[in-house]
Structures are given as C-alpha cells and as structure tokens.
Amino acid sequence: MIEVEQKFRLDAEQEQKLVEGAVLDHEKINIDIYYDSEDLTLGKRDVWLRQRNGQWELKIGRRGYREGLATTYEELEDDTSIAEWFGFPGDNLTDEIRAAGYRPFVRIEKARRSYLRDGFRLDLDHCDFDYAVAEIELLIESADQQQEANDRIARFAASIGLDASPVRGKVVEYLHRYKPDHYRALQEAGVLDEV
Ligand code: V4E
C-alpha cells in the first residue's frame, strides 16, 4: 500500500475540528528510534529507517509524486521486504543493519490517538519533546490514485475549517531544534518540504 498523508498544526482548536464526529480507533504509545549512516545516505534520499516499538519499518519517499502539501511514502513493515530493499541476506535484519553502519540518531516517544472519519485516518500525535502534529491519511493501491487522494484530503481539511499551513514532521522538528547540522544536510539534499 502507499500512504498519502498531510500534516497539520495540532492545538486545542484544530483538535476540536478534527475529532468532531470522528470515531476513536485506538490509542497507543509509539517509541520510534530512527537510524541512518554517518553520512546520512538514507535521509538524503528521503528514506527513513526506524524501529517502532522494536519492529523494523522503512518509509521510502516517492520523489516526483509529491504534490502540493501532501507527501507520499511507500511503507515496508516486514523484515523480509526491508532486507530485500537493502540487498541484505535477510537472516538477521538487526545485525545486518548494524553491520552496514546504520546507527540510531533520534528516539521519539509519542502518544497517538488514531481516529476514523469519512474514510480518512486521523492521527493525533503528542511527542515527548513538546511537539504535537496531526496527520490526515489515505491509503491507496497505486500511484495513479495519488492526485485524487491529495485532492480529497485538501477538500476534507477545508470543509472542516482546518489551518493547512505547512508544518514540520516530528523527526524533522526534532532535528531542527536539537541537531541543526543534520537538519541542514537534509535541507541541502532537497528532501525537506518548505515550512
Ligand atoms: C515522512 C518523513 C519522515 C519519516 C517519519 O514520518 P512521519 O510521518 O513523521 O512519522 P509517523 O510517526 O507519523 O509515522 P506513521 O505512523 O504515519 O507511519 S521524516 C520527514 N518526513 C517527511 C517530511 C519532510 N520531507 N519535510 C518536512 C519539513 N517534514 C517532514
């Protein structure tokens, strides 16, 4: 599946607009540890390797498919597909990732409340470094549905009166605040959205 998502500023007013009439699907604490090589080979390609609650996940930016404020990522969530993407044998993904030189660069703990509303998933995340962000998401099966998904998200956000000014993602906000060199390297590589 391909995830199309747009991030929104999350404060009490925006939260009220988002959750009105929404159904709470689940609440969860997610602990994400992001990995990259010393020279940021993944981040510079808009690829994000993380362990979420101990489980490996890979988010791969689909350059050229970014339209407007929505971004599109392919998500791999099983060890076999992730090993394949890296070209690893796949016997022990954790060992192989380490042997290839990838190291943790940030750990973010966040409380997520995930709602369903009108066919959208609404994720409301409060991070442990005093940052909150909402995401409106749609899952699509093929890239040719991208534009339609973007438009649906934009129409929905407008219909509930959300402020749709661009916001930084959680990792990016963390880097901006606490690891400016890392942030600058990604900015220079052209992978960060304009905020
Ligand atoms: C997509 C992305 C990054 C990886 C983390 O993705 P995010 O959607 O923030 O994580 P999360 O925890 O909500 O994952 P989910 O549960 O939805 O799978 S790091 C940066 N980006 C994109 C990005 C960008 N290119 N530019 C800016 C300014 N912010 C974010």
Side-chain angles (χ1 to χ4, degrees):
M1 293 299 265
I2 300 171
E3 182 188 78
V4 181
E5 64 170 41
Q6 187 174 334
K7 298 181 197 306
F8 297 84
R9 179 171 60 79
L10 183 57
D11 57 18
E13 190 192 334
Q14 295 262 102
E15 180 158 342
Q16 202 182 6
K17 289 175 181 168
L18 281 160
V19 303
E20 197 181 314
V23 175
L24 181 63
D25 182 50
H26 62 267
E27 288 184 81
K28 206 174 173 203
I29 303 285
N30 283 326
I31 299 177
D32 291 332
I33 302 173
Y34 284 85
Y35 288 68
D36 209 333
S37 63
E38 207 178 314
D39 49 358
L40 312 179
T41 42
L42 299 178
K44 286 178 178 174
R45 295 167 66 193
D46 201 12
V47 173
W48 304 88
L49 173 65
R50 71 185 175 206
Q51 258 183 323
R52 170 165 289 182
N53 306 324
Q55 176 69 42
W56 288 106
E57 299 182 351
L58 193 65
K59 285 182 83 144
I60 306 158
R62 297 175 60 86
R63 294 234 205 159
Y65 288 101
R66 186 168 295 168
E67 290 282 344
L69 293 172
T71 52
T72 307
Y73 286 83
E74 187 182 350
E75 300 205 7
L76 305 182
E77 296 186 345
D78 65 285
D79 287 11
T80 309
S81 317
I82 295 172
E84 231 167 69
W85 188 89
F86 279 101
F88 296 153
D91 300 323
N92 183 323
L93 183 59
T94 302
D95 288 351
E96 287 159 358
I97 283 171
R98 223 185 145 69
Y102 298 108
R103 299 284 177 268
F105 64 87
V106 62
R107 175 191 189 278
I108 297 177
E109 186 166 334
K110 61 181 191 246
R112 166 166 290 184
R113 270 178 294 128
S114 190
Y115 293 85
L116 300 173
R117 178 173 173 183
D118 297 347
F120 300 94
R121 178 169 292 282
L122 313 177
D123 285 338
L124 275 52
D125 285 333
H126 291 267
C127 304
D128 55 358
F129 62 100
D130 191 28
Y131 188 61
V133 65
E135 293 176 351
I136 301 182
E137 298 181 356
L138 278 177
L139 288 179
I140 57 174
E141 275 166 19
S142 66
D144 57 13
Q145 298 169 305
Q146 157 85 48
Q147 186 58 54
E148 187 199 335
N150 291 344
D151 294 345
R152 278 181 59 200
I153 292 175
R155 275 200 305 274
F156 171 68
S159 75
I160 62 171
L162 276 193
D163 170 7
S165 321
V167 291
R168 290 191 192 101
K170 291 152 287 234
V171 191
V172 176
E173 178 65 20
Y174 184 95
L175 297 175
H176 183 254
R177 287 189 200 180
Y178 307 114
K179 293 196 159 196
D181 291 348
H182 191 144
Y183 180 86
R184 212 169 305 115
L186 298 184
Q187 201 171 36
E188 282 165 9
V191 297
L192 299 185
D193 302 330
E194 289 292 325
V195 177

